[in-house]
């Protein structure tokens, strides 16, 4: 799992194992800022930062999908924290922890004030408040049982929570209730939502191979269809992630392991990677800063 800090220069990663670690890094220097030996087990399946960047939440791959929230900077790898860390571990940084639910968690996001965590799951959505070292979980309510499906991703536009679903709908939550939704926002599962800055709306990506831009009232503004593009390896590129920088450049990750960039409606593949089975071969160039890989997808 991976999460980007709001300042866009720090990233958190979580690993797999009986006692998985969380590491926080500078993206430019690859310096490890914090290493958290957390309370979770099996795997860190989701991570997210609070809007102010102070809190880091993680979800486990165990049977109860436990949640932990840290004031991550208290785990800093700076000299001033070395002595206290050696005595107390990461307990000084722990804000709250507890069991979330038995349903698989598919996304995590903080609300805008940063005092509540939202977990979208299979067949349910959970609002998680925290304080005093513990969490409290409350299920959301939804019109027409539209939440009885995989709720794949979520983002806030102002104080409104928008949730992308397996059936291609956008659910609109006010407080803890969904009283409205957009049917057929996409013709396939909505895997990715990116909130645009300054309440300008959001961007969604789907298995149907389309990227859509919406305004803050969720009126569809623009559609980019990546299907049938000869430069993309898959005929219908299933969109798995999407983001946008301050200059309006959109970056897309698809199921085929490609990164696709959209700049002023022009699209190009900027990177290709493996998308199936293991990476079975690795060779480093003897003189250049290059290396080659071979995967089970027969891509070299």
């Amino acid at each position: 799992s991976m999460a980007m800090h709001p300042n866009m220069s720090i990233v958190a990663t979580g690993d797999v194992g009986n006692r998985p670690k969380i590491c926080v890094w500078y993206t430019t220097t690859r310096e490890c800022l914090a290493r958290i030996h957390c309370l979770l087990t099996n795997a860190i399946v989701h991570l997210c930062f609070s809007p102010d960047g102070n809190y880091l939440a993680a979800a486990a791959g165990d049977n109860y999908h436990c949640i932990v929230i840290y004031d991550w900077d208290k785990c800093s790898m700076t000299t001033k924290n070395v002595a206290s860390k050696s005595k107390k571990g990461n307990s000084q940084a722990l804000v709250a922890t507890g069991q979330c639910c038995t349903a698989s968690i598919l996304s995590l996001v903080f609300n805008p004030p940063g005092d509540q965590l939202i977990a979208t799951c299979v067949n349910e959505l959970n609002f998680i408040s925290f304080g005093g070292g513990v969490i409290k979980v409350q299920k959301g309510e939804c019109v027409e049982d539209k939440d009885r499906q995989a709720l794949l991703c979520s983002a806030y536009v102002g104080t409104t929570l928008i949730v992308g679903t397996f059936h291609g709908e956008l659910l609109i939550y006010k407080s803890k209730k969904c009283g409205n939704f957009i049917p057929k926002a996409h013709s396939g599962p909505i895997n990715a939502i990116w909130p645009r800055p300054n309440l300008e709306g959001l961007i969604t990506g789907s298995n149907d191979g389309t990227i859509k831009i919406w305004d803050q009232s969720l009126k569809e503004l623009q559609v980019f269809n990546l299907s049938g593009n000869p430069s993309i390896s898959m005929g219908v590129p299933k969109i798995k992630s999407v983001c946008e920088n301050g200059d309006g450049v959109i970056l897309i990750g698809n199921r085929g392991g490609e990164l696709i960039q959209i700049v002023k409606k022009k699209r190009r593949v900027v990177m290709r990677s493996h998308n199936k089975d293991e990476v079975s071969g690795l060779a480093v160039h003897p003189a250049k800063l290059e290396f080659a890989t071979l995967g089970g997808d027969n891509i070299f």
Side-chain angles (χ1 to χ4, degrees), residues 18-297:
N18 291 332
R19 290 291 178 183
K21 296 189 301 295
I22 299 171
C23 293
V24 183
W25 314 80
Y26 266 131
T27 57
T28 52
T29 65
R30 298 183 294 278
E31 175 191 359
C32 185
L33 302 176
R35 184 174 290 112
I36 306 172
H37 297 269
C38 69
L39 301 174
L40 303 182
T41 60
N42 292 354
I44 308 296
V45 295
H46 291 286
L47 289 164
C48 70
F49 283 98
S50 59
D52 61 8
N54 291 333
Y55 289 159
L56 176 60
D62 60 13
N63 292 335
Y64 296 98
H65 301 100
C66 293
I67 298 287
V68 66
I69 302 169
Y70 285 104
D71 185 345
W72 70 269
D73 193 47
K74 292 183 179 178
C75 300
S76 171
M77 303 291 287
T78 58
T79 303
K80 66 180 181 179
N81 286 334
V82 170
S84 60
K85 284 197 303 170
S86 63
K87 293 178 181 178
K88 299 181 181 179
N90 299 130
S91 60
Q92 59 183 347
L94 181 64
V95 176
T97 187
Q99 296 178 354
C100 179
C101 56
T102 56
S104 295
I105 296 176
L106 302 177
S107 77
L108 278 181
V109 65
F110 278 93
N111 67 349
D115 58 5
Q116 192 175 66
L117 191 65
I118 293 83
T120 66
C121 309
V122 177
N123 295 331
E124 63 185 60
L125 185 144
N126 292 300
F127 293 86
I128 304 166
S129 55
F130 54 91
V134 298
I135 66 171
K136 181 179 179 181
V137 181
Q138 182 179 352
K139 288 186 179 181
E141 302 176 20
C142 192
V143 65
E144 298 182 19
D145 290 331
K146 287 294 181 180
D147 57 350
R148 303 300 293 172
Q149 57 180 308
L151 307 180
L152 299 173
C153 54
S154 58
Y156 273 91
V157 176
T159 59
T160 301
L161 175 66
I162 310 299
V163 177
T165 74
F166 179 80
H167 294 304
E169 299 147 336
L170 287 174
L171 308 184
I172 304 169
Y173 281 81
K174 300 286 188 179
S175 185
K176 297 180 176 65
K177 295 183 179 181
C178 170
N180 197 9
F181 64 95
I182 298 178
K184 298 181 180 179
H186 286 269
S187 60
I190 300 174
N191 299 313
I193 294 181
W194 179 263
R196 307 186 81 191
N198 304 318
L199 301 178
E200 292 181 3
L202 49 84
I203 303 174
T204 57
S206 169
N207 273 10
D208 62 9
T210 64
I211 298 292
K212 293 190 177 184
I213 299 178
W214 311 77
D215 68 11
Q216 61 180 357
S217 63
L218 295 184
K219 177 184 177 181
E220 185 181 301
L221 299 178
Q222 199 168 9
V223 181
F224 298 100
N225 192 343
L226 303 182
S227 299
N229 190 320
S231 64
I232 299 174
S233 62
M234 302 177 69
V236 180
K238 298 179 179 179
I239 309 302
K240 293 298 183 181
S241 64
V242 62
C243 64
E244 182 185 32
N245 69 9
D247 297 323
V249 177
I250 299 173
L251 193 64
I252 303 154
N254 70 7
R255 177 63 182 83
E258 295 164 317
L259 287 179
I260 303 161
Q261 189 180 73
I262 299 178
V263 183
K264 297 180 179 178
K265 299 183 180 181
K266 294 183 179 180
R267 309 154 205 188
R268 70 183 185 97
V269 178
V270 295
M271 192 180 79
R272 286 188 170 90
S273 64
H274 299 288
N275 60 70
K276 183 180 179 183
D277 299 328
E278 298 178 349
V279 176
S280 53
L282 173 64
V284 178
H285 195 283
K288 299 179 181 179
L289 295 177
E290 296 178 357
F291 62 91
T293 58
L294 176 65
D297 51 9

